[in-house]
Amino acid sequence: MQEKKQLDFYNIGVSYKKADAKTRGKFSLSKESQVALLELAKEKLFTGVFVLSTCNRTEISGFAERPCQLIELLCEFSEGTIQEFSKISFVYKNQEAIDHLFRIGTGIESQILGDYEIVGQLRQSFKIAKKVGTTNAYSERLVNSVLQASKKVKNETKISSGTTSVSYAAVQYLINNLPDYNSKNILVFGLGKMGKHTCKNLAEYTQNKQVSLINRTEEKASEFVKEHASIRKSVIENLSEEIANSDVLIVSTGAENPTVTLNHVAKDKKLLILDLSMPENVDKKVGELENVTIINVDELSKITDETLSIRQQEIPLVEAIIHTHKQEFNNWLNIRRFTPTIAALKESLENIKNDEINFQKKKINNFDENQAEILTSRIIQKITTQFVKHLKADDTEVSESIQVINKVFQH
């Protein structure tokens, strides 16, 4: 009989910690690429797999014999190579992978501490994986535990006070670096989540009434400006003209290739561009123009705020919440791991009991089978309870104990 190969839970990927915006852009995955990757993972019979791809990180979680199996999947569907990956990557296994997901989901691994945009992204990416059919009970329970911890952290700590995200940082950058920012012409190009947040932050933190919006899908822009009367809608055909009339261009198009090129910007145009897209959506040649300044995601994320020092103080509270939820998950995991072993142990003891009762029935006259049944069943119950207590204890090496029990009671 072929021995079943050991599968471990891995989390592999790249993030802002070791990879700059350009490199992260190479490894980013569009929604279509994520689905295609998951389809192939399913074909290869990988389980518990889900993908997270944001402007700050791209990572794959799931079960595999070796992490390179997940790394190969990532490189197949992104522009990155295995060689590049090895220089700027992280690979977490089992408990480290669990810990990493809890830290991401509670905002303490975000590029801007306490940024909660990741929670929605995690929920959405798991939903996609579930639809494709690559998730399993383990990954579902883990992600639910992470989301519960995240909710508690948000409700019971100040880690996300004075919400700071890249879209917020963009507006803060304008406030801190642009004299007369309230009277500048601002064009927002792209109405994904980042574009919407930027428009809302401009409305909330500035008094600027000269904000224009262009989106590739015009209907979305029309719907949005109905609710935000101070914003003027334009159309993509007028992009060059609108850029010519703007002092600030905020790009949040989220495309795989540049959406703003040299054709859109006049050579003598003085322009500040904030590129919130990942990969970057402004052609590098635009940045070479003498009067153009481009600020990308990495630069925006360096912006600090007095709230960040408050957030820093909340980390121990967040870690305590993570510890509780992680412990609950590991308890579930251990019970799930040892339940089949305890069932097999019980069955083995039942077989011993039945053999012994049958033997004694033949040997002893007037043997009281009922009394023997009651007595031995109680002994079996007490023995299995002791084993369960042992396996649940914090200092127990569950895997080793399961191996010993299986070895001793296997026929």
Side-chain angles (χ1 to χ4, degrees):
M1 190 176 148
Q2 198 179 1
E3 191 183 339
K4 197 177 177 184
K5 287 175 181 171
Q6 173 68 38
L7 294 179
D8 291 296
F9 183 67
Y10 288 101
N11 176 283
I12 63 98
V14 298
S15 78
Y16 69 91
K17 287 190 172 180
K18 286 188 186 176
D20 60 18
K22 184 185 173 187
T23 314
R24 292 200 307 277
K26 283 187 180 179
F27 286 96
S28 72
L29 297 164
S30 65
K31 286 280 184 286
E32 293 75 21
S33 297
Q34 288 176 46
V35 171
L37 186 155
L38 290 166
E39 294 283 8
L40 184 58
K42 189 179 179 182
E43 208 177 289
K44 289 178 179 283
L45 304 178
F46 295 152
T47 58
V49 181
F50 58 98
V51 181
L52 187 60
S53 188
T54 73
C55 59
N56 287 330
R57 63 181 69 252
T58 297
E59 51 189 66
I60 304 174
S61 300
F63 283 90
E65 289 169 43
R66 298 176 310 281
C68 61
Q69 292 171 315
L70 300 179
I71 295 164
E72 283 163 9
L73 275 178
L74 174 59
C75 294
E76 185 166 340
F77 289 93
S78 69
E79 301 298 317
T81 66
I82 289 173
Q83 288 73 23
E84 284 173 306
F85 182 86
S86 63
K87 290 174 193 163
I88 44 92
S89 61
F90 55 81
V91 174
Y92 297 118
K93 179 180 174 182
N94 296 332
Q95 284 300 316
E96 279 186 349
I98 292 166
D99 189 55
H100 174 70
L101 285 165
F102 271 104
R103 293 178 69 83
I104 282 179
T106 51
I108 55 177
E109 284 292 314
S110 296
Q111 190 163 18
I112 297 173
L113 182 65
D115 182 355
Y116 265 93
E117 279 185 43
I118 190 76
V119 181
Q121 290 159 335
L122 177 62
R123 190 180 280 113
Q124 187 57 31
S125 64
F126 195 75
K127 202 174 172 182
I128 292 168
K130 201 169 177 185
K131 197 174 177 184
V132 174
T134 54
T135 61
N136 62 4
Y138 181 106
S139 58
E140 187 149 357
R141 180 84 179 212
L142 176 56
V143 170
N144 281 339
S145 297
V146 168
L147 294 174
Q148 282 166 18
S150 171
K151 193 176 178 182
K152 194 165 187 184
V153 164
K154 198 162 190 182
N155 291 339
E156 296 182 15
T157 75
K158 294 175 187 166
I159 193 81
S160 62
S161 61
T163 305
T164 305
S165 62
V166 170
S167 48
Y168 173 81
V171 175
Q172 290 302 307
Y173 182 89
L174 297 182
I175 292 169
N176 296 333
N177 294 279
L178 206 59
D180 307 323
Y181 60 89
N182 280 326
S183 60
K184 299 290 184 189
N185 290 326
I186 299 173
L187 173 62
V188 177
F189 179 29
L191 195 59
K193 188 182 272 191
M194 200 80 86
K196 281 179 184 171
H197 282 310
T198 304
C199 289
K200 286 172 184 174
N201 287 331
L202 282 168
E204 191 174 339
Y205 299 106
T206 77
Q207 279 76 52
N208 192 306
K209 302 298 176 204
Q210 286 143 219
V211 178
S212 303
L213 171 67
I214 291 179
N215 190 51
R216 281 174 291 188
T217 313
E218 200 184 332
E219 298 81 58
K220 278 188 185 176
S222 300
E223 284 300 312
F224 188 79
V225 296
K226 276 181 195 170
E227 295 169 33
H228 302 83
S230 62
I231 296 171
R232 180 181 68 85
K233 187 202 81 168
S234 186
V235 291
I236 197 153
E237 290 75 17
N238 296 347
L239 182 60
S240 299
E241 190 186 318
E242 291 290 351
I243 290 173
N245 293 329
S246 300
D247 304 299
V248 179
L249 169 62
I250 300 174
V251 181
S252 57
T253 39
E256 300 215 14
N257 298 304
T259 53
V260 175
T261 65
L262 275 175
N263 298 333
H264 297 113
V265 185
K267 283 182 183 172
D268 57 348
K269 173 70 186 163
K270 191 174 189 323
L271 186 66
L272 169 63
I273 302 177
L274 306 185
D275 189 351
L276 314 188
S277 305
M278 175 59 54
E280 292 161 326
N281 277 191
V282 179
D283 194 320
K284 285 177 180 54
K285 288 175 184 171
V286 174
E288 291 165 10
L289 294 173
E290 195 180 335
N291 295 315
V292 172
T293 305
I294 299 181
I295 305 296
N296 70 9
V297 167
D298 285 352
E299 289 171 85
L300 287 172
S301 297
K302 289 174 190 165
I303 294 171
T304 52
D305 186 273
E306 66 266 15
T307 59
L308 288 181
S309 61
I310 297 167
R311 292 176 178 203
Q312 203 74 36
Q313 292 161 28
E314 297 292 293
I315 290 176
L317 279 175
V318 175
E319 286 176 336
I321 290 169
I322 288 174
H323 178 74
T324 304
H325 284 268
K326 205 166 71 174
Q327 212 168 23
E328 283 172 11
F329 175 72
N330 281 323
N331 286 343
W332 172 81
L333 205 54
N334 282 338
I335 289 166
R336 191 167 172 260
R337 280 162 70 198
F338 66 63
T339 298
T341 299
I342 293 296
L345 166 66
K346 203 164 183 179
E347 189 185 344
S348 182
L349 292 173
E350 287 284 348
N351 289 336
I352 293 168
K353 176 195 83 171
N354 292 336
D355 288 347
E356 192 58 32
I357 286 176
N358 287 334
F359 175 74
Q360 295 300 340
K361 261 183 359 190
K362 290 170 190 170
K363 200 174 177 185
I364 301 170
N365 289 329
N366 302 320
F367 178 70
D368 192 336
E369 195 176 334
N370 285 340
Q371 283 297 336
E373 182 74 44
I374 291 164
L375 184 66
T376 49
S377 293
R378 279 177 65 82
I379 291 168
I380 288 172
Q381 188 58 48
K382 288 189 179 215
I383 291 168
T384 50
T385 301
Q386 282 302 111
F387 274 110
V388 170
K389 276 184 187 169
H390 164 71
L391 291 167
K392 276 186 176 177
D394 290 340
D395 57 350
T396 300
E397 282 292 337
V398 177
S399 298
E400 285 176 24
S401 293
I402 286 173
Q403 278 175 0
V404 171
I405 296 166
N406 285 340
K407 201 170 180 182
V408 172
F409 291 96
Q410 237 173 12
H411 291 300

